[in-house]
Amino acid sequence: MHQSVLFNEVVEFLRPARGDGTLVDATVGLGGHAEGLLEQYPATRLIAIDRDPRALERSRERLRRFMDRVAFVQGRHEQLIEILRQSGVENASGVLADLGVSSMQLDDASRGFSFRYEAPLDMRMGPDSRSAADLVNTTSEEDLATILREYGEEPRARRIARAIVDARPMDTTVQLAEVVRRAKVGAHSVRPRPHDIDPATLTFQAIRIAANEELVGLDRFVDDAVSVLEDGARIAVISFHSLEDRIVKRALRRLEGECTCPPGLPVCACGAKKIVTVLTHRPVTAPEEEIDRNPRSRSAKLRVAEKVSS
Ligand SMILES: C[S@@+](CC[C@H](N)C(=O)[O-])C[C@H]1O[C@@H](n2cnc3c(N)ncnc32)[C@H](O)[C@@H]1O
């Protein structure tokens, strides 16, 4: 069962100022945070968005008892404005995005997210994504190296990209993992020891991010979410790797009015204006006991901002 990360913190931060209104869970996943919000704030409605139709099915099941207060929408968080317009909602009393993959997606062997299972090289979060096999088999060596370096922070990016190009076409997770392990640790030591981080981890992360365009539109999502918040309402974003967190941190700083002009300009030309107050100057991270219970929470970073009165 997927355990919602930083559950109490999210539910408390998203307490609606007036107690009612429409909350948006832009990545509802298995509905854990959504359930907490609906339980805790009985006068609210919730719009539950996910790009993965299977996640929506599962959350619909879980949230059945709140059916008259929830609308489910298959889509991407970067379509937020359009989704709200189609739902006839003008303002939100809180917006949540808990980014990345759910444990349901990771643990479903057939979806190809994990190198622990033999499966087709798929990794699509939803029907709008490109398959990992397509990406791995058609991207140039140079672009593959860039993907591995930028999205995986993989120090052996060039070497792995070359090995992938030499070994393709590739159809399965296990084929890709073996090629990466061999490229990283040498032909004679393909199996990691039980507690080592698998050498294929960063490559799989990078290919997943690229195939699903996970970082594309995140900056715009933060802007759009803030634009629909009522005065005093909050946006909360949980990210799981430094690239996502950096985008969220910068977007919130910009919305807090930090001038982004190049140094030396005599007057500000970027139009910086304070639209939010950031409530988490350091991101909130999971306490030790949560990490013990749910190791996935180790890398979670929660950032929250509140819209200022206009
Ligand atoms: C970590 S899970 C969310 C878990 C959820 N908060 C819970 O408590 O069960 C992330 C979910 O976000 C979805 N997702 C990722 N990127 C998305 C995007 N750009 N738009 C909409 N959903 C997205 C994934 O399909 C996945 O179901």
Side-chain angles (χ1 to χ4, degrees):
M1 189 57 178
H2 180 92
Q3 297 185 42
S4 302
V5 168
L6 291 164
F7 176 87
N8 293 327
E9 292 81 351
V10 164
V11 172
E12 197 43 52
F13 270 122
L14 288 181
R15 175 182 295 279
R18 293 190 328 263
D20 60 1
T22 304
L23 295 166
V24 177
D25 187 340
T27 55
V28 70
L30 302 187
H33 288 114
E35 183 177 43
L37 292 166
L38 286 159
E39 249 164 21
Q40 190 73 17
Y41 309 121
T44 56
R45 299 177 53 78
L46 183 116
I47 298 195
I49 303 170
D50 205 291
R51 67 196 290 188
D52 181 352
R54 285 189 245 179
L56 283 175
E57 242 169 67
R58 293 279 293 272
S59 55
R60 189 175 276 125
E61 186 62 29
R62 180 173 191 166
L63 302 175
R64 210 169 18 181
R65 68 188 192 281
F66 304 109
M67 258 326 172
D68 54 337
R69 294 166 53 206
V70 192
F72 294 89
V73 183
Q74 188 189 325
R76 294 176 62 150
H77 57 48
E78 50 273 41
Q79 300 165 323
L80 179 70
I81 300 275
E82 194 187 320
I83 291 172
L84 291 192
R85 196 179 314 121
Q86 280 170 5
S87 312
V89 171
E90 272 181 27
N91 289 115
S93 53
V95 176
L96 168 65
D98 174 16
L99 301 168
V101 270
S102 68
S103 50
M104 175 195 80
Q105 290 165 329
L106 282 174
D107 293 344
D108 181 343
S110 69
R111 298 189 68 167
F113 284 105
S114 172
F115 43 74
R116 283 184 290 143
Y117 314 109
E118 166 105 53
L121 199 49
D122 188 71
M123 300 196 203
R124 278 175 299 169
M125 279 187 182
D128 57 297
S129 309
R130 180 178 177 194
S131 79
D134 181 39
L135 187 136
V136 160
N137 290 326
T138 61
T139 307
S140 70
E141 182 178 323
E142 200 184 330
D143 289 351
L144 270 177
T146 306
I147 287 171
L148 300 185
R149 202 170 31 246
E150 289 191 0
Y151 294 164
E153 295 172 340
E154 168 56 72
R156 292 290 175 97
R158 279 211 155 277
R159 192 183 165 121
I160 296 170
R162 191 169 324 124
I164 290 176
V165 169
D166 287 346
R168 64 193 189 188
M170 264 182 261
D171 305 316
T172 71
T173 47
V174 167
Q175 274 175 306
L176 175 62
E178 290 293 316
V179 168
V180 177
R181 288 178 193 135
R182 239 179 267 131
K184 263 189 106 162
V185 296
H188 302 298
S189 163
V190 260
R191 287 262 157 240
R193 286 168 304 183
H195 296 294
D196 283 352
I197 292 184
D198 192 293
T201 303
L202 298 178
T203 296
F204 268 65
Q205 173 189 300
I207 288 173
R208 191 201 83 210
I209 291 174
N212 290 291
E213 298 183 310
E214 288 180 41
L215 304 179
V216 177
L218 182 53
D219 183 64
R220 167 157 164 225
F221 162 73
V222 174
D223 269 4
D224 287 351
V226 167
S227 78
V228 299
L229 286 179
E230 295 162 357
D231 291 351
R234 293 172 177 178
I235 175 172
V237 183
I238 304 175
S239 52
F240 287 88
H241 54 80
S242 54
L243 297 168
E244 275 172 353
D245 183 55
R246 205 174 308 146
I247 294 173
V248 175
K249 179 171 79 177
R250 287 188 182 155
L252 291 180
R253 276 207 191 138
R254 182 170 39 73
L255 291 163
E256 201 174 29
E258 188 179 278
C259 172
T260 52
C261 291
L265 276 195
V267 282
C268 169
C270 70
K273 188 168 171 250
K274 184 173 167 72
I275 302 171
V276 299
T277 301
V278 175
L279 304 181
T280 50
H281 279 287
R282 282 175 175 280
V284 178
T285 53
E288 276 308 317
E289 84 251 15
E290 178 171 352
I291 296 172
D292 289 344
R293 234 185 318 116
N294 177 14
R296 186 175 167 272
S297 65
R298 181 182 299 282
S299 47
K301 289 194 172 132
L302 167 66
R303 294 190 184 268
V304 184
E306 183 173 299
K307 185 137 173 202
V308 296
S309 302
S310 40

